[in-house]
PDB file of all heavy atoms in Angstrom:
ATOM      1  N   ASP A   1      74.748 -46.606 -70.212  1.00 95.00           N
ATOM      2  CA  ASP A   1      75.632 -46.611 -71.388  1.00 95.00           C
ATOM      3  C   ASP A   1      76.771 -45.519 -71.201  1.00 95.00           C
ATOM      4  O   ASP A   1      77.876 -45.662 -71.779  1.00 95.00           O
ATOM      5  CB  ASP A   1      74.867 -46.255 -72.674  1.00 95.00           C
ATOM      6  CG  ASP A   1      73.912 -47.420 -73.056  1.00 95.00           C
ATOM      7  OD1 ASP A   1      74.093 -48.580 -72.509  1.00 95.00           O
ATOM      8  OD2 ASP A   1      73.072 -47.206 -73.933  1.00 95.00           O
ATOM      9  N   HIS A   2      76.480 -44.476 -70.447  1.00 94.00           N
ATOM     10  CA  HIS A   2      77.462 -43.357 -70.251  1.00 94.00           C
ATOM     11  C   HIS A   2      78.129 -43.427 -68.891  1.00 94.00           C
ATOM     12  O   HIS A   2      78.658 -42.441 -68.425  1.00 94.00           O
ATOM     13  CB  HIS A   2      76.746 -42.057 -70.501  1.00 94.00           C
ATOM     14  CG  HIS A   2      76.406 -41.786 -71.928  1.00 94.00           C
ATOM     15  ND1 HIS A   2      75.305 -42.292 -72.452  1.00 94.00           N
ATOM     16  CD2 HIS A   2      77.106 -41.156 -72.925  1.00 94.00           C
ATOM     17  CE1 HIS A   2      75.176 -41.905 -73.801  1.00 94.00           C
ATOM     18  NE2 HIS A   2      76.319 -41.247 -74.013  1.00 94.00           N
ATOM     19  N   ASN A   3      78.107 -44.614 -68.296  1.00 94.00           N
ATOM     20  CA  ASN A   3      78.710 -44.868 -66.971  1.00 94.00           C
ATOM     21  C   ASN A   3      78.320 -43.862 -65.916  1.00 94.00           C
ATOM     22  O   ASN A   3      79.142 -43.425 -65.164  1.00 94.00           O
ATOM     23  CB  ASN A   3      80.215 -44.814 -67.175  1.00 94.00           C
ATOM     24  CG  ASN A   3      80.967 -45.556 -66.062  1.00 94.00           C
ATOM     25  OD1 ASN A   3      80.358 -46.445 -65.411  1.00 94.00           O
ATOM     26  ND2 ASN A   3      82.150 -45.178 -65.726  1.00 94.00           N
ATOM     27  N   CYS A   4      76.974 -43.582 -65.872  1.00 94.00           N
ATOM     28  CA  CYS A   4      76.429 -42.658 -64.871  1.00 94.00           C
ATOM     29  C   CYS A   4      75.338 -43.345 -64.077  1.00 94.00           C
ATOM     30  O   CYS A   4      74.458 -42.656 -63.432  1.00 94.00           O
ATOM     31  CB  CYS A   4      75.882 -41.393 -65.585  1.00 94.00           C
ATOM     32  SG  CYS A   4      77.106 -40.469 -66.423  1.00 94.00           S
ATOM     33  N   GLN A   5      75.248 -44.675 -64.121  1.00 93.00           N
ATOM     34  CA  GLN A   5      74.171 -45.361 -63.424  1.00 93.00           C
ATOM     35  C   GLN A   5      74.248 -45.207 -61.938  1.00 93.00           C
ATOM     36  O   GLN A   5      73.315 -45.474 -61.218  1.00 93.00           O
ATOM     37  CB  GLN A   5      74.184 -46.861 -63.833  1.00 93.00           C
ATOM     38  CG  GLN A   5      75.287 -47.642 -63.361  1.00 93.00           C
ATOM     39  CD  GLN A   5      76.487 -47.642 -64.298  1.00 93.00           C
ATOM     40  OE1 GLN A   5      76.577 -46.787 -65.178  1.00 93.00           O
ATOM     41  NE2 GLN A   5      77.425 -48.536 -64.114  1.00 93.00           N
ATOM     42  N   HIS A   6      75.307 -44.642 -61.387  1.00 94.00           N
ATOM     43  CA  HIS A   6      75.475 -44.448 -59.986  1.00 94.00           C
ATOM     44  C   HIS A   6      74.436 -43.537 -59.423  1.00 94.00           C
ATOM     45  O   HIS A   6      74.203 -43.498 -58.188  1.00 94.00           O
ATOM     46  CB  HIS A   6      76.891 -43.943 -59.584  1.00 94.00           C
ATOM     47  CG  HIS A   6      77.218 -42.613 -60.264  1.00 94.00           C
ATOM     48  ND1 HIS A   6      77.629 -42.447 -61.509  1.00 94.00           N
ATOM     49  CD2 HIS A   6      77.108 -41.367 -59.743  1.00 94.00           C
ATOM     50  CE1 HIS A   6      77.836 -41.194 -61.795  1.00 94.00           C
ATOM     51  NE2 HIS A   6      77.491 -40.505 -60.682  1.00 94.00           N
ATOM     52  N   ILE A   7      73.723 -42.729 -60.192  1.00 94.00           N
ATOM     53  CA  ILE A   7      72.721 -41.852 -59.660  1.00 94.00           C
ATOM     54  C   ILE A   7      71.346 -42.510 -59.627  1.00 94.00           C
ATOM     55  O   ILE A   7      70.421 -41.968 -59.028  1.00 94.00           O
ATOM     56  CB  ILE A   7      72.620 -40.537 -60.422  1.00 94.00           C
ATOM     57  CG1 ILE A   7      72.083 -40.713 -61.871  1.00 94.00           C
ATOM     58  CG2 ILE A   7      73.976 -39.799 -60.472  1.00 94.00           C
ATOM     59  CD1 ILE A   7      71.669 -39.388 -62.575  1.00 94.00           C
ATOM     60  N   ILE A   8      71.222 -43.774 -60.122  1.00 94.00           N
ATOM     61  CA  ILE A   8      69.930 -44.459 -60.087  1.00 94.00           C
ATOM     62  C   ILE A   8      69.837 -45.202 -58.768  1.00 94.00           C
ATOM     63  O   ILE A   8      70.794 -45.861 -58.388  1.00 94.00           O
ATOM     64  CB  ILE A   8      69.810 -45.453 -61.296  1.00 94.00           C
ATOM     65  CG1 ILE A   8      69.965 -44.727 -62.656  1.00 94.00           C
ATOM     66  CG2 ILE A   8      68.494 -46.243 -61.181  1.00 94.00           C
ATOM     67  CD1 ILE A   8      70.068 -45.736 -63.830  1.00 94.00           C
ATOM     68  N   LYS A   9      68.771 -45.010 -58.083  1.00 90.00           N
ATOM     69  CA  LYS A   9      68.499 -45.792 -56.916  1.00 90.00           C
ATOM     70  C   LYS A   9      67.548 -46.952 -57.205  1.00 90.00           C
ATOM     71  O   LYS A   9      66.705 -46.855 -58.067  1.00 90.00           O
ATOM     72  CB  LYS A   9      67.880 -44.843 -55.827  1.00 90.00           C
ATOM     73  CG  LYS A   9      68.742 -43.828 -55.342  1.00 90.00           C
ATOM     74  CD  LYS A   9      68.419 -43.361 -53.939  1.00 90.00           C
ATOM     75  CE  LYS A   9      69.350 -42.326 -53.394  1.00 90.00           C
ATOM     76  NZ  LYS A   9      70.612 -42.806 -52.986  1.00 90.00           N
ATOM     77  N   ASN A  10      67.643 -48.058 -56.448  1.00 82.00           N
ATOM     78  CA  ASN A  10      66.828 -49.253 -56.632  1.00 82.00           C
ATOM     79  C   ASN A  10      66.215 -49.580 -55.283  1.00 82.00           C
ATOM     80  O   ASN A  10      66.928 -50.021 -54.420  1.00 82.00           O
ATOM     81  CB  ASN A  10      67.631 -50.393 -57.249  1.00 82.00           C
ATOM     82  CG  ASN A  10      66.752 -51.529 -57.726  1.00 82.00           C
ATOM     83  OD1 ASN A  10      65.611 -51.623 -57.371  1.00 82.00           O
ATOM     84  ND2 ASN A  10      67.335 -52.398 -58.554  1.00 82.00           N
ATOM     85  N   ASP A  11      64.955 -49.345 -55.064  1.00 76.00           N
ATOM     86  CA  ASP A  11      64.319 -49.509 -53.828  1.00 76.00           C
ATOM     87  C   ASP A  11      63.519 -50.805 -53.749  1.00 76.00           C
ATOM     88  O   ASP A  11      62.744 -51.112 -54.686  1.00 76.00           O
ATOM     89  CB  ASP A  11      63.350 -48.348 -53.529  1.00 76.00           C
ATOM     90  CG  ASP A  11      64.088 -47.027 -53.250  1.00 76.00           C
ATOM     91  OD1 ASP A  11      65.285 -47.088 -53.016  1.00 76.00           O
ATOM     92  OD2 ASP A  11      63.373 -46.003 -53.271  1.00 76.00           O
ATOM     93  N   VAL A  12      63.665 -51.542 -52.723  1.00 59.00           N
ATOM     94  CA  VAL A  12      62.888 -52.680 -52.358  1.00 59.00           C
ATOM     95  C   VAL A  12      62.490 -52.533 -50.841  1.00 59.00           C
ATOM     96  O   VAL A  12      63.259 -52.871 -49.970  1.00 59.00           O
ATOM     97  CB  VAL A  12      63.713 -54.019 -52.473  1.00 59.00           C
ATOM     98  CG1 VAL A  12      62.808 -55.231 -52.205  1.00 59.00           C
ATOM     99  CG2 VAL A  12      64.246 -54.156 -53.917  1.00 59.00           C
ATOM    100  N   ILE A  13      61.386 -51.890 -50.710  1.00 61.00           N
ATOM    101  CA  ILE A  13      60.795 -51.537 -49.392  1.00 61.00           C
ATOM    102  C   ILE A  13      61.851 -50.598 -48.693  1.00 61.00           C
ATOM    103  O   ILE A  13      61.520 -49.477 -48.282  1.00 61.00           O
ATOM    104  CB  ILE A  13      60.549 -52.728 -48.427  1.00 61.00           C
ATOM    105  CG1 ILE A  13      59.486 -53.629 -49.107  1.00 61.00           C
ATOM    106  CG2 ILE A  13      59.954 -52.215 -47.125  1.00 61.00           C
ATOM    107  CD1 ILE A  13      58.119 -53.054 -49.404  1.00 61.00           C
ATOM    108  N   LEU A  14      63.071 -50.971 -48.499  1.00 60.00           N
ATOM    109  CA  LEU A  14      64.128 -50.103 -48.034  1.00 60.00           C
ATOM    110  C   LEU A  14      64.965 -49.659 -49.162  1.00 60.00           C
ATOM    111  O   LEU A  14      64.998 -50.201 -50.233  1.00 60.00           O
ATOM    112  CB  LEU A  14      64.968 -50.919 -47.027  1.00 60.00           C
ATOM    113  CG  LEU A  14      65.771 -52.157 -47.578  1.00 60.00           C
ATOM    114  CD1 LEU A  14      67.223 -52.000 -47.226  1.00 60.00           C
ATOM    115  CD2 LEU A  14      65.163 -53.398 -46.984  1.00 60.00           C
ATOM    116  N   SER A  15      65.612 -48.517 -48.959  1.00 62.00           N
ATOM    117  CA  SER A  15      66.345 -47.889 -50.044  1.00 62.00           C
ATOM    118  C   SER A  15      67.759 -48.477 -50.073  1.00 62.00           C
ATOM    119  O   SER A  15      68.436 -48.611 -49.061  1.00 62.00           O
ATOM    120  CB  SER A  15      66.484 -46.433 -49.814  1.00 62.00           C
ATOM    121  OG  SER A  15      65.227 -45.797 -50.076  1.00 62.00           O
ATOM    122  N   PHE A  16      68.246 -48.794 -51.221  1.00 73.00           N
ATOM    123  CA  PHE A  16      69.596 -49.209 -51.491  1.00 73.00           C
ATOM    124  C   PHE A  16      70.428 -48.089 -52.000  1.00 73.00           C
ATOM    125  O   PHE A  16      69.887 -47.212 -52.626  1.00 73.00           O
ATOM    126  CB  PHE A  16      69.611 -50.381 -52.517  1.00 73.00           C
ATOM    127  CG  PHE A  16      69.170 -51.702 -51.999  1.00 73.00           C
ATOM    128  CD1 PHE A  16      67.813 -51.941 -51.771  1.00 73.00           C
ATOM    129  CD2 PHE A  16      70.070 -52.700 -51.715  1.00 73.00           C
ATOM    130  CE1 PHE A  16      67.357 -53.167 -51.283  1.00 73.00           C
ATOM    131  CE2 PHE A  16      69.615 -53.907 -51.210  1.00 73.00           C
ATOM    132  CZ  PHE A  16      68.321 -54.162 -51.013  1.00 73.00           C
ATOM    133  N   ARG A  17      71.697 -48.046 -51.728  1.00 83.00           N
ATOM    134  CA  ARG A  17      72.591 -47.005 -52.280  1.00 83.00           C
ATOM    135  C   ARG A  17      72.567 -47.116 -53.785  1.00 83.00           C
ATOM    136  O   ARG A  17      72.379 -48.201 -54.355  1.00 83.00           O
ATOM    137  CB  ARG A  17      73.985 -47.191 -51.737  1.00 83.00           C
ATOM    138  CG  ARG A  17      74.098 -46.799 -50.236  1.00 83.00           C
ATOM    139  CD  ARG A  17      75.479 -46.899 -49.747  1.00 83.00           C
ATOM    140  NE  ARG A  17      76.088 -48.130 -50.311  1.00 83.00           N
ATOM    141  CZ  ARG A  17      77.413 -48.413 -50.216  1.00 83.00           C
ATOM    142  NH1 ARG A  17      78.187 -47.586 -49.617  1.00 83.00           N
ATOM    143  NH2 ARG A  17      77.838 -49.565 -50.652  1.00 83.00           N
ATOM    144  N   ALA A  18      72.907 -46.056 -54.369  1.00 83.00           N
ATOM    145  CA  ALA A  18      73.039 -46.014 -55.855  1.00 83.00           C
ATOM    146  C   ALA A  18      74.075 -47.035 -56.310  1.00 83.00           C
ATOM    147  O   ALA A  18      75.110 -47.154 -55.728  1.00 83.00           O
ATOM    148  CB  ALA A  18      73.453 -44.654 -56.314  1.00 83.00           C
ATOM    149  N   GLY A  19      73.673 -47.772 -57.316  1.00 85.00           N
ATOM    150  CA  GLY A  19      74.628 -48.791 -57.882  1.00 85.00           C
ATOM    151  C   GLY A  19      74.566 -50.176 -57.259  1.00 85.00           C
ATOM    152  O   GLY A  19      75.241 -51.103 -57.658  1.00 85.00           O
ATOM    153  N   ASP A  20      73.694 -50.334 -56.273  1.00 87.00           N
ATOM    154  CA  ASP A  20      73.528 -51.630 -55.586  1.00 87.00           C
ATOM    155  C   ASP A  20      72.452 -52.468 -56.202  1.00 87.00           C
ATOM    156  O   ASP A  20      71.708 -53.201 -55.565  1.00 87.00           O
ATOM    157  CB  ASP A  20      73.278 -51.472 -54.122  1.00 87.00           C
ATOM    158  CG  ASP A  20      74.518 -51.123 -53.356  1.00 87.00           C
ATOM    159  OD1 ASP A  20      75.653 -51.217 -53.883  1.00 87.00           O
ATOM    160  OD2 ASP A  20      74.424 -50.762 -52.135  1.00 87.00           O
ATOM    161  N   ASP A  21      72.329 -52.429 -57.539  1.00 88.00           N
ATOM    162  CA  ASP A  21      71.298 -53.157 -58.228  1.00 88.00           C
ATOM    163  C   ASP A  21      71.367 -54.681 -58.011  1.00 88.00           C
ATOM    164  O   ASP A  21      70.317 -55.320 -57.804  1.00 88.00           O
ATOM    165  CB  ASP A  21      71.348 -52.929 -59.769  1.00 88.00           C
ATOM    166  CG  ASP A  21      70.961 -51.522 -60.151  1.00 88.00           C
ATOM    167  OD1 ASP A  21      70.297 -50.827 -59.269  1.00 88.00           O
ATOM    168  OD2 ASP A  21      71.251 -51.082 -61.224  1.00 88.00           O
ATOM    169  N   ASN A  22      72.568 -55.268 -58.017  1.00 89.00           N
ATOM    170  CA  ASN A  22      72.670 -56.662 -57.815  1.00 89.00           C
ATOM    171  C   ASN A  22      72.142 -57.139 -56.419  1.00 89.00           C
ATOM    172  O   ASN A  22      71.467 -58.130 -56.317  1.00 89.00           O
ATOM    173  CB  ASN A  22      74.166 -57.142 -58.046  1.00 89.00           C
ATOM    174  CG  ASN A  22      74.561 -57.046 -59.465  1.00 89.00           C
ATOM    175  OD1 ASN A  22      73.766 -56.963 -60.352  1.00 89.00           O
ATOM    176  ND2 ASN A  22      75.895 -56.998 -59.639  1.00 89.00           N
ATOM    177  N   LYS A  23      72.504 -56.344 -55.398  1.00 87.00           N
ATOM    178  CA  LYS A  23      72.016 -56.720 -54.096  1.00 87.00           C
ATOM    179  C   LYS A  23      70.525 -56.570 -53.985  1.00 87.00           C
ATOM    180  O   LYS A  23      69.888 -57.454 -53.387  1.00 87.00           O
ATOM    181  CB  LYS A  23      72.710 -55.767 -52.999  1.00 87.00           C
ATOM    182  CG  LYS A  23      74.133 -56.024 -52.783  1.00 87.00           C
ATOM    183  CD  LYS A  23      74.710 -55.089 -51.753  1.00 87.00           C
ATOM    184  CE  LYS A  23      76.172 -55.204 -51.577  1.00 87.00           C
ATOM    185  NZ  LYS A  23      76.747 -54.195 -50.618  1.00 87.00           N
ATOM    186  N   ALA A  24      69.951 -55.588 -54.634  1.00 83.00           N
ATOM    187  CA  ALA A  24      68.507 -55.420 -54.596  1.00 83.00           C
ATOM    188  C   ALA A  24      67.843 -56.577 -55.311  1.00 83.00           C
ATOM    189  O   ALA A  24      66.864 -57.112 -54.761  1.00 83.00           O
ATOM    190  CB  ALA A  24      68.117 -54.109 -55.257  1.00 83.00           C
ATOM    191  N   ASN A  25      68.358 -56.953 -56.427  1.00 87.00           N
ATOM    192  CA  ASN A  25      67.752 -58.078 -57.195  1.00 87.00           C
ATOM    193  C   ASN A  25      67.865 -59.392 -56.387  1.00 87.00           C
ATOM    194  O   ASN A  25      66.943 -60.178 -56.414  1.00 87.00           O
ATOM    195  CB  ASN A  25      68.456 -58.238 -58.534  1.00 87.00           C
ATOM    196  CG  ASN A  25      68.089 -57.076 -59.447  1.00 87.00           C
ATOM    197  OD1 ASN A  25      67.014 -56.453 -59.348  1.00 87.00           O
ATOM    198  ND2 ASN A  25      68.953 -56.760 -60.390  1.00 87.00           N
ATOM    199  N   GLU A  26      69.044 -59.621 -55.740  1.00 88.00           N
ATOM    200  CA  GLU A  26      69.171 -60.835 -54.909  1.00 88.00           C
ATOM    201  C   GLU A  26      68.183 -60.834 -53.811  1.00 88.00           C
ATOM    202  O   GLU A  26      67.556 -61.892 -53.515  1.00 88.00           O
ATOM    203  CB  GLU A  26      70.548 -60.931 -54.327  1.00 88.00           C
ATOM    204  CG  GLU A  26      71.674 -61.235 -55.362  1.00 88.00           C
ATOM    205  CD  GLU A  26      73.087 -61.161 -54.759  1.00 88.00           C
ATOM    206  OE1 GLU A  26      73.193 -61.161 -53.541  1.00 88.00           O
ATOM    207  OE2 GLU A  26      73.981 -61.090 -55.612  1.00 88.00           O
ATOM    208  N   LEU A  27      67.989 -59.724 -53.116  1.00 83.00           N
ATOM    209  CA  LEU A  27      67.024 -59.648 -51.998  1.00 83.00           C
ATOM    210  C   LEU A  27      65.591 -59.887 -52.553  1.00 83.00           C
ATOM    211  O   LEU A  27      64.777 -60.620 -51.913  1.00 83.00           O
ATOM    212  CB  LEU A  27      67.106 -58.294 -51.272  1.00 83.00           C
ATOM    213  CG  LEU A  27      66.082 -58.137 -50.154  1.00 83.00           C
ATOM    214  CD1 LEU A  27      66.310 -59.204 -49.036  1.00 83.00           C
ATOM    215  CD2 LEU A  27      66.254 -56.739 -49.539  1.00 83.00           C
ATOM    216  N   MET A  28      65.267 -59.275 -53.675  1.00 82.00           N
ATOM    217  CA  MET A  28      63.947 -59.429 -54.280  1.00 82.00           C
ATOM    218  C   MET A  28      63.644 -60.978 -54.555  1.00 82.00           C
ATOM    219  O   MET A  28      62.606 -61.485 -54.208  1.00 82.00           O
ATOM    220  CB  MET A  28      63.836 -58.705 -55.626  1.00 82.00           C
ATOM    221  CG  MET A  28      63.821 -57.248 -55.550  1.00 82.00           C
ATOM    222  SD  MET A  28      62.201 -56.580 -55.021  1.00 82.00           S
ATOM    223  CE  MET A  28      61.219 -56.981 -56.489  1.00 82.00           C
ATOM    224  N   LEU A  29      64.679 -61.669 -55.114  1.00 87.00           N
ATOM    225  CA  LEU A  29      64.519 -63.086 -55.396  1.00 87.00           C
ATOM    226  C   LEU A  29      64.374 -63.859 -54.129  1.00 87.00           C
ATOM    227  O   LEU A  29      63.555 -64.768 -53.977  1.00 87.00           O
ATOM    228  CB  LEU A  29      65.707 -63.626 -56.257  1.00 87.00           C
ATOM    229  CG  LEU A  29      65.817 -63.184 -57.698  1.00 87.00           C
ATOM    230  CD1 LEU A  29      67.105 -63.573 -58.337  1.00 87.00           C
ATOM    231  CD2 LEU A  29      64.569 -63.720 -58.460  1.00 87.00           C
ATOM    232  N   SER A  30      65.155 -63.582 -53.111  1.00 88.00           N
ATOM    233  CA  SER A  30      65.099 -64.243 -51.878  1.00 88.00           C
ATOM    234  C   SER A  30      63.703 -64.051 -51.192  1.00 88.00           C
ATOM    235  O   SER A  30      63.178 -65.024 -50.706  1.00 88.00           O
ATOM    236  CB  SER A  30      66.212 -63.713 -50.941  1.00 88.00           C
ATOM    237  OG  SER A  30      66.096 -64.282 -49.664  1.00 88.00           O
ATOM    238  N   LEU A  31      63.230 -62.806 -51.245  1.00 84.00           N
ATOM    239  CA  LEU A  31      61.961 -62.528 -50.620  1.00 84.00           C
ATOM    240  C   LEU A  31      60.810 -63.277 -51.414  1.00 84.00           C
ATOM    241  O   LEU A  31      59.829 -63.839 -50.804  1.00 84.00           O
ATOM    242  CB  LEU A  31      61.636 -61.044 -50.579  1.00 84.00           C
ATOM    243  CG  LEU A  31      62.541 -60.251 -49.569  1.00 84.00           C
ATOM    244  CD1 LEU A  31      62.382 -58.726 -49.797  1.00 84.00           C
ATOM    245  CD2 LEU A  31      62.193 -60.658 -48.138  1.00 84.00           C
ATOM    246  N   GLU A  32      60.947 -63.319 -52.676  1.00 84.00           N
ATOM    247  CA  GLU A  32      59.915 -64.040 -53.497  1.00 84.00           C
ATOM    248  C   GLU A  32      59.944 -65.495 -53.237  1.00 84.00           C
ATOM    249  O   GLU A  32      58.888 -66.182 -53.136  1.00 84.00           O
ATOM    250  CB  GLU A  32      60.106 -63.748 -55.001  1.00 84.00           C
ATOM    251  CG  GLU A  32      59.703 -62.294 -55.381  1.00 84.00           C
ATOM    252  CD  GLU A  32      60.002 -61.988 -56.814  1.00 84.00           C
ATOM    253  OE1 GLU A  32      60.537 -62.871 -57.580  1.00 84.00           O
ATOM    254  OE2 GLU A  32      59.720 -60.833 -57.167  1.00 84.00           O
ATOM    255  N   GLU A  33      61.165 -66.121 -53.074  1.00 89.00           N
ATOM    256  CA  GLU A  33      61.275 -67.545 -52.709  1.00 89.00           C
ATOM    257  C   GLU A  33      60.598 -67.821 -51.291  1.00 89.00           C
ATOM    258  O   GLU A  33      60.184 -68.910 -51.121  1.00 89.00           O
ATOM    259  CB  GLU A  33      62.771 -67.936 -52.681  1.00 89.00           C
ATOM    260  CG  GLU A  33      63.347 -68.029 -54.097  1.00 89.00           C
ATOM    261  CD  GLU A  33      64.834 -68.218 -54.053  1.00 89.00           C
ATOM    262  OE1 GLU A  33      65.454 -68.278 -52.950  1.00 89.00           O
ATOM    263  OE2 GLU A  33      65.418 -68.355 -55.142  1.00 89.00           O
ATOM    264  N   GLN A  34      60.599 -66.834 -50.470  1.00 89.00           N
ATOM    265  CA  GLN A  34      60.022 -66.965 -49.117  1.00 89.00           C
ATOM    266  C   GLN A  34      58.499 -66.689 -49.119  1.00 89.00           C
ATOM    267  O   GLN A  34      57.889 -66.726 -48.069  1.00 89.00           O
ATOM    268  CB  GLN A  34      60.674 -66.041 -48.139  1.00 89.00           C
ATOM    269  CG  GLN A  34      62.129 -66.318 -47.921  1.00 89.00           C
ATOM    270  CD  GLN A  34      62.850 -65.274 -47.066  1.00 89.00           C
ATOM    271  OE1 GLN A  34      62.200 -64.687 -46.169  1.00 89.00           O
ATOM    272  NE2 GLN A  34      64.077 -65.020 -47.294  1.00 89.00           N
ATOM    273  N   GLY A  35      57.996 -66.377 -50.315  1.00 86.00           N
ATOM    274  CA  GLY A  35      56.497 -66.214 -50.422  1.00 86.00           C
ATOM    275  C   GLY A  35      56.083 -64.772 -50.285  1.00 86.00           C
ATOM    276  O   GLY A  35      54.906 -64.472 -50.235  1.00 86.00           O
ATOM    277  N   HIS A  36      57.011 -63.861 -50.230  1.00 79.00           N
ATOM    278  CA  HIS A  36      56.691 -62.436 -50.184  1.00 79.00           C
ATOM    279  C   HIS A  36      56.591 -61.845 -51.569  1.00 79.00           C
ATOM    280  O   HIS A  36      57.063 -62.420 -52.537  1.00 79.00           O
ATOM    281  CB  HIS A  36      57.733 -61.669 -49.411  1.00 79.00           C
ATOM    282  CG  HIS A  36      57.924 -62.181 -47.952  1.00 79.00           C
ATOM    283  ND1 HIS A  36      57.055 -62.002 -46.965  1.00 79.00           N
ATOM    284  CD2 HIS A  36      58.953 -62.871 -47.439  1.00 79.00           C
ATOM    285  CE1 HIS A  36      57.466 -62.529 -45.931  1.00 79.00           C
ATOM    286  NE2 HIS A  36      58.601 -63.104 -46.147  1.00 79.00           N
ATOM    287  N   HIS A  37      55.948 -60.760 -51.673  1.00 77.00           N
ATOM    288  CA  HIS A  37      55.762 -60.103 -52.967  1.00 77.00           C
ATOM    289  C   HIS A  37      56.238 -58.607 -52.902  1.00 77.00           C
ATOM    290  O   HIS A  37      55.450 -57.690 -52.845  1.00 77.00           O
ATOM    291  CB  HIS A  37      54.277 -60.127 -53.440  1.00 77.00           C
ATOM    292  CG  HIS A  37      53.753 -61.533 -53.475  1.00 77.00           C
ATOM    293  ND1 HIS A  37      54.070 -62.413 -54.487  1.00 77.00           N
ATOM    294  CD2 HIS A  37      52.907 -62.197 -52.660  1.00 77.00           C
ATOM    295  CE1 HIS A  37      53.539 -63.574 -54.244  1.00 77.00           C
ATOM    296  NE2 HIS A  37      52.816 -63.460 -53.177  1.00 77.00           N
ATOM    297  N   PRO A  38      57.470 -58.386 -52.843  1.00 77.00           N
ATOM    298  CA  PRO A  38      58.056 -57.095 -52.707  1.00 77.00           C
ATOM    299  C   PRO A  38      57.899 -56.295 -53.997  1.00 77.00           C
ATOM    300  O   PRO A  38      57.762 -56.789 -55.078  1.00 77.00           O
ATOM    301  CB  PRO A  38      59.554 -57.348 -52.442  1.00 77.00           C
ATOM    302  CG  PRO A  38      59.846 -58.638 -53.126  1.00 77.00           C
ATOM    303  CD  PRO A  38      58.621 -59.443 -52.995  1.00 77.00           C
ATOM    304  N   GLU A  39      57.875 -54.965 -53.794  1.00 74.00           N
ATOM    305  CA  GLU A  39      57.847 -54.083 -54.951  1.00 74.00           C
ATOM    306  C   GLU A  39      59.270 -53.545 -55.228  1.00 74.00           C
ATOM    307  O   GLU A  39      59.996 -53.204 -54.242  1.00 74.00           O
ATOM    308  CB  GLU A  39      56.899 -52.903 -54.740  1.00 74.00           C
ATOM    309  CG  GLU A  39      55.476 -53.319 -54.691  1.00 74.00           C
ATOM    310  CD  GLU A  39      54.530 -52.159 -54.630  1.00 74.00           C
ATOM    311  OE1 GLU A  39      54.927 -51.010 -55.004  1.00 74.00           O
ATOM    312  OE2 GLU A  39      53.418 -52.355 -54.064  1.00 74.00           O
ATOM    313  N   ASN A  40      59.600 -53.364 -56.470  1.00 74.00           N
ATOM    314  CA  ASN A  40      60.963 -52.907 -56.842  1.00 74.00           C
ATOM    315  C   ASN A  40      60.749 -51.537 -57.559  1.00 74.00           C
ATOM    316  O   ASN A  40      60.003 -51.512 -58.481  1.00 74.00           O
ATOM    317  CB  ASN A  40      61.585 -53.968 -57.707  1.00 74.00           C
ATOM    318  CG  ASN A  40      63.053 -53.531 -58.120  1.00 74.00           C
ATOM    319  OD1 ASN A  40      63.512 -52.533 -57.690  1.00 74.00           O
ATOM    320  ND2 ASN A  40      63.626 -54.342 -58.874  1.00 74.00           N
TER     321      ASN A  40
END
């Protein structure tokens, strides 16, 4: 809400840069479609 989300990291086995939430979510969905169960 205060435009500071850039300090939040979103990890899916590997670390994504701050602010890459969309890429992380896309990878999570892709891995789940392939039968994997990644942790976010």
Side-chain angles (χ1 to χ4, degrees):
D1 292 347
H2 290 83
N3 201 26
C4 296
Q5 68 273 16
H6 63 277
I7 69 169
I8 303 172
K9 293 205 180 284
N10 192 342
D11 292 345
V12 179
I13 305 295
L14 61 128
S15 292
F16 284 76
R17 290 182 315 170
D20 283 349
D21 290 342
N22 290 340
K23 289 180 184 178
N25 291 333
E26 288 174 16
L27 179 60
M28 290 282 292
L29 289 172
S30 175
L31 290 171
E32 286 174 2
E33 288 171 0
Q34 295 173 32
H36 301 289
H37 304 286
E39 290 187 27
N40 184 1

